Amino acid sequence: MILVTGGAGFIGGNFVLDWIANSDEAVVNLDKLTYAGNLETLSSLSGSAKHVFVRGDIGASDLVDKLLLEHKPRAIINFAAESHVDRSIHGPEDFVQTNVLGTFRLLESVRGYWSGLPADQRAAFRFLHVSTDEVYGSLSPTDPAFTEENTYEPNSPYSASKAASDHLVRAWHHTYGLPVLTTNCSNNYGPFHFPEKLIPLMIVNALAGKPLPVYGDGMQVRDWLYVKDHCSAIRRVLDVGKLGETYNVGGWNEKPNIEIVKTVCALLDELKPRADGKRYAEQISYVADRLGHDRRYAIDARKLERELGWKPAETFDSGIRKTVEWYLANGEWVRNVQSGAYREWVQKQYASEVKGAT
Ligand code: NAD
Ligand code: DAU
């Protein structure tokens, strides 16, 4: 089996659902269930023998040591992190705690477990660390896209904490020989995305008749990838990635934020027109900029294509349409997130399965 950390979050949740749909191998899912962890995302797996959920912290060494010995995973995919840049600006400590210290403790637990494996299992073992393009810093409009050779220049508390975690992973490979792989991905979007991030926030605010807050001039550029494509890239790297290597993952979809917001508005105009006949774009409201806001990210994903044969399946047009349709069809998931009911639901639905440290 494999161990996934942070598998109740947006990308981890999509990854667990895809894995179980496409593989016979079971998943142990270790997640602390912070505000971003939502077991309702995994409700279709309730009762499945292929999914073992454990509530716990990647930094709780006793728990992680015990889980590793009990389940003997052949691979670990580390999604667990504090992931929201704005939250990192308001309160960086949780980011250092989980992304830096948590990753360090997880690496130490994994190193202990891996060292004790028989030689063949030690050779086959993999630790895949899921990271971000934000570690490379910000690009000017004319700079080439980030390659794996770019230097690390993180600018926010979030990206600095992720950069630190990447360095730890690299060092555990170089020093101890731990068989690691690292992926650095661009902005994801798709189903089960917590509505604090740009795309889901714009969809739910638009439908609620609320303002659509665009930071600064709205001309910051991000490179968007449909979440299922990120999941397929991770599976590919896990299967055939070269040990100790990093792989950039991106969708070749660079777009300014204001264009993303207008695209979401246009899709909603088509799929769920406003009752008053007006356009959703009328709700756009320019607000104060994010502190230290990175101007542009862009990913050069050619190494992953050239060496491992991966390419995204979705275009931005197909992925964003699927995403808006998903939010329209899953109003209950959204309402439960907004009301906080998803956290009560966790207690009720998973009381017997939730164990371990919090
Ligand atoms: P998310 O915030 O939606 O989910 C994070 C999950 O980790 C949550 O379920 C949370 O409960 C869990 N978690 C947090 N702290 C934990 C801890 N100490 N121990 C165990 N579990 C903990 O994040 P996401 O958007 O799904 O991102 C997943 C990973 O992918 C992160 O490492 C992030 O840096 C990286 N990433 C995200 C994006 C993106 O666009 N969302 C892009 C590139 C990379
Ligand atoms: O690049 C990968 C990163 O993408 C991941 O590592 C992060 O975990 C993920 O959160 C995401 O970071 P961003 O800061 O790029 O995503 P966010 O959705 O918060 O913001 C996207 C852009 O939209 C950014 O330029 C800020 C802007 N924005 C965001 C929000 C929430 C707005 O203009 N208005 C908003 O209300």
Side-chain angles (χ1 to χ4, degrees), residues 220-236:
Q220 303 82 6
V221 171
R222 298 291 182 268
D223 179 352
W224 295 92
L225 180 70
Y226 191 62
V227 64
K228 305 277 180 198
D229 280 327
H230 188 188
C231 295
S232 76
I234 291 170
R235 287 199 302 274
R236 190 83 194 134

Side-chain angles (χ1 to χ4, degrees), residues 5-12 30-38 56-59 78-84 98 130-133 158 162 185-189 193-194 196-197 230:
T5 72
F10 163 49
I11 306 173
L30 173 66
D31 194 297
K32 186 177 176 180
L33 296 181
T34 66
Y35 80 93
N38 185 350
D57 193 317
I58 54 167
N78 183 32
F79 293 96
E82 290 292 339
S83 70
H84 189 37
T98 283
V130 180
S131 194
T132 171
D133 60 359
Y158 162 70
K162 289 296 289 186
C185 188
S186 61
N187 284 62
N188 284 215
Y189 67 100
H193 204 180
F194 196 83
E196 64 181 355
K197 309 279 171 67
H230 188 188

Side-chain angles (χ1 to χ4, degrees), residues 10-11 81-87 95 131-135 146 156 158-159 162 184-188 193-202 205 211-224 255-258 260-261 285 287-290 293-297 299:
F10 163 49
I11 306 173
E82 290 292 339
S83 70
H84 189 37
V85 175
D86 293 318
R87 283 181 193 258
F95 289 72
S131 194
T132 171
D133 60 359
E134 301 201 12
V135 297
F146 301 127
S156 72
Y158 162 70
S159 55
K162 289 296 289 186
N184 293 89
C185 188
S186 61
N187 284 62
N188 284 215
H193 204 180
F194 196 83
E196 64 181 355
K197 309 279 171 67
L198 180 71
I199 288 179
L201 183 77
M202 294 302 145
N205 274 15
L212 308 179
V214 173
Y215 297 163
D217 64 1
M219 291 307 290
Q220 303 82 6
V221 171
R222 298 291 182 268
D223 179 352
W224 295 92
K255 297 198 185 296
N257 293 336
I258 188 64
I260 298 288
V261 176
S285 160
V287 299
D289 208 350
R290 174 185 277 175
H293 201 168
D294 283 341
R295 196 68 183 163
R296 173 176 167 239
Y297 307 137
I299 277 279

Side-chain angles (χ1 to χ4, degrees), residues 109-253:
S109 291
V110 172
R111 181 165 75 90
Y113 161 71
W114 169 76
S115 313
L117 290 174
D120 57 334
Q121 289 176 34
R122 209 163 51 238
F125 183 80
R126 297 288 181 269
F127 179 93
L128 192 153
H129 180 62
V130 180
S131 194
T132 171
D133 60 359
E134 301 201 12
V135 297
Y136 298 121
S138 185
L139 295 168
S140 78
T142 53
D143 282 335
F146 301 127
T147 72
E148 292 78 359
E149 307 306 317
N150 274 66
T151 49
Y152 273 33
E153 294 175 7
N155 290 320
S156 72
Y158 162 70
S159 55
S161 68
K162 289 296 289 186
S165 71
D166 293 8
H167 290 321
L168 292 171
V169 170
R170 176 191 155 90
W172 261 239
H173 174 67
H174 187 84
T175 303
Y176 305 112
L178 192 71
V180 306
L181 299 153
T182 299
T183 53
N184 293 89
C185 188
S186 61
N187 284 62
N188 284 215
Y189 67 100
F192 304 113
H193 204 180
F194 196 83
E196 64 181 355
K197 309 279 171 67
L198 180 71
I199 288 179
L201 183 77
M202 294 302 145
I203 298 171
V204 304
N205 274 15
L207 292 172
K210 292 183 181 167
L212 308 179
V214 173
Y215 297 163
D217 64 1
M219 291 307 290
Q220 303 82 6
V221 171
R222 298 291 182 268
D223 179 352
W224 295 92
L225 180 70
Y226 191 62
V227 64
K228 305 277 180 198
D229 280 327
H230 188 188
C231 295
S232 76
I234 291 170
R235 287 199 302 274
R236 190 83 194 134
V237 173
L238 184 65
D239 284 349
V240 289
K242 201 167 144 214
L243 290 188
E245 292 284 313
T246 63
Y247 295 93
N248 283 358
V249 189
W252 304 103
N253 288 308

